[in-house]
Amino acid sequence: MSRKQTPADPELAHRLSRRGMLGVAAGATAAALLGTATPAAAGEKGRGRPVLPPGRLGIQLYSLRDKVSALGFAAVFAELKKYGYDEIEFAGYSQGSAGAISLAQLKALARDHGLHPIGSHVGYYDNNNPNAYTFAQNLTKVLDDAEALGLKHIGTASGPFRYGSTVDAWKRAADDFNTYGEAARKRGMKFYQHNHAEEFSFATDKPGVRLYDVLLAETDPDHVFLEMDIYWAYCAQFRFGKRPDGTPAPFEPVDYVLKQPHRYPLFHVKDGVRDETTRDGYRMSDVGDGDIDYKKFLSKVTARTHHGRRYHHWQTEHDNPVESYAFARKSSEHLHSLRSGRCGD
């Protein structure tokens, strides 16, 4: 797909074009500010440089929920440090059956194990519970807790479908996100949204418009950020590579990032084996066991942002691993092993 492809809605095309220009400007500023930063450590002579930026490998703790519930955060954090992880992303602050823990204790545990809490997933809304722990129902509490943990990012894995699947419905959801993003920024945090495949589907009232493009166009790039789940983006490429009328609408997930790299501070690194007999076109796997080319994806992102690549954070994830510790270890080993002879190789 050409990066010059524009949505069918002229107004939306104009907004996306403006967002793209803002992204280029922000990326250039970041590169200039970080120009004197220490570059990533070079790989062994003849092997090329590591593709994974140093100090930026994390894991979404949802992948290890069985171990957290059975053993507690301390035991899990100790294992993650052994496997070479630098960061963690929360999916709740409870240990489940392993017992209660305070936010202060959780923050201290992460610090004591040399792990940096980088973000957290919280629900977007719950129309049936006015007291739900979501952005819509309890924004102040959600931000208070994130601040107590020292998080720099606070987000949701809920899709922007609160008001429906029309263009106007997603504009309303974008307004919500702008509100949450502005509130988070006042606390020194970035609000972000994590995608699944359905965000790349098409508006029910304007089937030529991809809903993800509405989200990008209608959210403020200074207040709303994205965590691309790379696996689900490739599943969306398979599922939504054609419009409802059957006309081609191909896209490359990495192109969204390359247009506005500053809007993607976080990524979910999740792998899958290609299988076109399934709905999604892939079967989820441990990172390195699937067909998604992470050497290529990471190389493109880090080459595009140059020194600014250090502001990206890469979180491994598997929704239902066969053995969660094995998944965490293998995924870290694979990503740390990737080498590139030249930027972008």
Side-chain angles (χ1 to χ4, degrees):
M1 169 183 168
S2 168
R3 294 180 197 166
K4 296 184 181 296
Q5 183 171 344
T6 56
D9 185 301
E11 179 186 357
L12 183 61
H14 172 73
R15 288 176 180 267
L16 280 172
S17 176
R18 178 176 177 274
R19 298 294 193 222
M21 290 298 292
L22 289 172
V24 170
T29 300
L33 290 173
L34 295 170
T36 57
T38 303
E44 293 179 17
K45 190 171 183 179
R47 293 185 61 200
R49 66 170 177 81
V51 170
L52 180 70
R56 289 295 186 270
L57 180 63
I59 189 167
Q60 166 51 251
L61 291 173
Y62 180 77
S63 306
L64 296 160
R65 60 195 181 277
D66 62 325
K67 296 295 193 291
V68 171
S69 179
L71 305 172
F73 282 114
V76 171
F77 289 173
E79 285 298 307
L80 293 177
K81 197 59 186 176
K82 288 182 192 175
Y83 302 157
Y85 284 94
D86 312 293
E87 301 174 337
I88 47 175
E89 183 184 32
F90 291 106
Y93 312 130
S94 167
Q95 297 190 120
S97 59
I101 187 171
S102 70
L103 295 179
Q105 290 172 321
L106 187 52
K107 181 180 180 180
L109 274 180
R111 181 194 63 226
D112 293 346
H113 288 88
L115 294 170
H116 179 55
I118 192 63
S120 179
H121 285 186
V122 177
Y124 169 16
Y125 67 95
D126 184 339
N127 287 336
N128 298 316
N129 181 5
N131 298 312
Y133 189 76
T134 65
F135 282 95
Q137 276 77 29
N138 260 305
L139 177 60
T140 299
K141 175 62 174 171
V142 167
L143 296 182
D144 284 347
D145 289 350
E147 196 170 20
L149 284 166
L151 301 181
K152 293 300 181 184
H153 307 83
I154 180 69
T156 184
S158 302
F161 293 95
R162 182 181 187 182
Y163 308 108
S165 300
T166 66
V167 170
D168 284 343
W170 273 52
K171 287 182 178 181
R172 288 183 65 190
D175 285 342
D176 287 346
F177 286 6
N178 286 332
T179 297
Y180 310 151
E182 184 175 9
R185 186 176 183 180
K186 290 177 180 177
R187 308 271 198 120
M189 292 179 281
K190 292 180 178 179
F191 169 80
Y192 63 96
Q193 194 268 341
H194 163 283
N195 66 274
H196 292 86
E198 287 73 19
E199 281 87 338
F200 294 89
S201 62
F202 297 92
T204 53
D205 60 332
K206 294 185 178 181
V209 175
R210 196 181 296 280
L211 288 171
Y212 196 73
D213 293 339
V214 178
L215 181 67
L216 285 171
E218 298 295 331
T219 49
D220 185 333
D222 291 329
H223 293 154
V224 178
F225 299 86
L226 293 310
E227 177 179 61
M228 178 175 282
D229 186 304
I230 300 167
Y231 169 84
W232 287 121
Y234 275 100
C235 291
Q237 182 190 57
F238 174 79
R239 291 177 59 188
F240 305 114
K242 293 181 179 179
R243 298 180 184 87
D245 65 2
T247 58
F251 71 93
E252 285 295 333
V254 74
D255 286 350
Y256 277 102
V257 181
L258 299 183
K259 286 179 182 178
Q260 302 186 62
H262 75 292
R263 295 201 73 181
Y264 293 86
L266 306 173
F267 293 90
H268 270 194
V269 181
K270 187 185 298 179
D271 212 344
V273 176
R274 183 75 171 178
D275 184 352
E276 296 188 8
T277 67
T278 66
R279 183 198 66 169
D280 293 321
Y282 290 87
R283 288 180 285 105
M284 200 175 295
S285 69
D286 293 349
V287 179
D289 289 347
D291 294 315
I292 296 177
D293 189 343
Y294 275 109
K295 176 181 175 181
K296 181 178 180 180
F297 194 100
L298 269 76
S299 294
K300 283 191 172 185
V301 173
T302 57
R304 169 64 179 81
T305 54
H306 301 291
H307 295 292
R309 65 193 172 87
R310 291 181 64 85
Y311 60 61
H312 294 298
H313 303 265
W314 307 86
Q315 319 295 308
T316 65
E317 188 187 32
H318 192 311
D319 292 358
N320 293 290
V322 173
E323 209 295 312
S324 55
Y325 274 162
F327 152 75
R329 176 183 52 77
K330 289 167 56 183
S331 299
S332 174
E333 288 176 353
H334 176 71
L335 293 171
H336 278 109
S337 75
L338 297 178
R339 294 291 187 276
S340 177
R342 295 176 301 175
C343 289
D345 281 359

